[in-house]
Amino acid sequence: MSSKAASTLSLPDYRIRVSSRARRLSLRVESGQGVIVTIPRGFSPQRVPAFIARHRQWIEARLAEAAQRTPERFRQWPPEQLALPAVDLVLELSYAARSDRDARHAAAPTAGNLGRTRQLRVKADSADRAAVVGELRLALKALARQYFCVRLEMLAERHGLTYQRIQIRGQRTRWGSCSSTGTISLNYKLLFLSPELVDYVLLHELAHTRHLNHSPAFWRQLITMLPDARQRDAMLDQAGREVPPWMELKAG
């Protein structure tokens, strides 16, 4: 559920989230997501504008701080392009209302087309951030599956390792994971990282098919495959800044 304040009050745009656990109104400002008001279930949304008005000064200060923390290349809305270093690709974005039945995602690039600029038509009104991000997630997950499945299989074969299957997900705090049954989950947001870091994540998860922990044996396995694994692991700690913060935007 989302809402905008009445234009006569000139209040900042905000989004409403309903929580069954909330006992009172709460307010936060997040980079890429803007102003989020959490209300208890049953609370009337019509009462939210007055709450926003009372906290307007605090909101504007937090919005300014969030803008300063956001890299300049991610401040433009709507985004006109997405650079995906993992696959050496730039997506040029255009937008269409959802009522435009002829709008379709551009075909996902094939391995032979990587390194080229491709057009992607987004089936959403560019003013609707949640809808835009939702459509981009679908397109990026498809691209990630196409690329990462091939790359993971190649690395597994090279190092004599096996896994059961691959999942493409959108975890907020993990780049990847490996289950006890051999399922490797990879975050589609790896597309925003360098190929070197992507390979590190894939090899990290493949090493977990032998050692489902971070024991010395695990690190020996990983370093055997990738001698500079420790250095790449340290680089990964800062890699989150390469992902547009608005990719974390949730609907409603």
Side-chain angles (χ1 to χ4, degrees), residues 207 211 214-226 229-230:
H211 307 281
H214 290 103
S215 64
F218 163 84
W219 282 104
R220 285 194 297 270
Q221 172 76 41
L222 183 53
I223 290 171
T224 297
M225 299 186 293
L226 194 65
R230 292 282 191 183

Side-chain angles (χ1 to χ4, degrees), residues 55-220:
H55 295 86
R56 177 171 181 163
Q57 187 173 2
W58 180 89
I59 291 170
E60 291 178 345
R62 300 293 85 74
L63 286 171
E65 291 173 1
Q68 288 298 317
R69 292 194 302 269
T70 302
E72 177 116 12
R73 65 188 185 278
F74 296 145
R75 294 180 190 176
Q76 177 185 353
W77 190 270
E80 294 181 354
Q81 61 178 218
L82 285 181
L84 307 175
V87 292
D88 192 21
L89 179 70
V90 175
L91 295 180
E92 297 285 353
L93 306 179
S94 61
Y95 299 88
R98 285 186 178 276
S99 59
D100 182 357
R101 298 191 179 190
D102 294 328
R104 295 291 186 271
H105 291 305
T110 63
N113 289 333
L114 298 181
R116 304 194 314 176
T117 298
R118 296 295 299 269
Q119 302 296 316
L120 177 65
R121 184 146 189 191
V122 182
K123 289 196 304 178
D125 185 329
S126 62
D128 188 339
R129 291 194 175 214
V132 167
V133 172
E135 294 295 316
L136 288 176
R137 282 197 192 104
L138 292 176
L140 293 177
K141 283 182 179 180
L143 179 60
R145 174 169 294 279
Q146 179 187 32
Y147 175 77
F148 296 149
C149 285
V150 173
R151 187 63 178 166
L152 187 66
E153 183 177 355
M154 187 187 75
L155 290 173
E157 183 176 352
R158 177 185 299 173
H159 296 286
L161 297 171
T162 60
Y163 58 95
Q164 291 300 310
R165 65 190 183 103
I166 181 174
Q167 288 184 333
I168 302 299
R169 302 175 61 192
Q171 306 98 310
R172 185 161 187 174
T173 60
R174 289 187 177 186
W175 295 112
S177 62
C178 179
S179 74
S180 59
T181 59
T183 295
I184 290 180
S185 297
L186 298 173
N187 196 323
Y188 73 89
K189 285 170 274 189
L190 285 166
L191 289 167
F192 294 99
L193 307 192
S194 68
E196 293 77 16
L197 286 182
V198 172
D199 274 359
Y200 168 73
V201 173
L202 270 56
L203 287 168
H204 184 113
E205 302 311 330
L206 283 171
H208 277 314
T209 64
R210 290 275 182 89
H211 307 281
L212 203 60
N213 50 44
H214 290 103
S215 64
F218 163 84
W219 282 104
R220 285 194 297 270

Side-chain angles (χ1 to χ4, degrees), residues 20 37 51 112 155 213:
S20 59
V37 183
F51 177 73
L155 290 173
N213 50 44

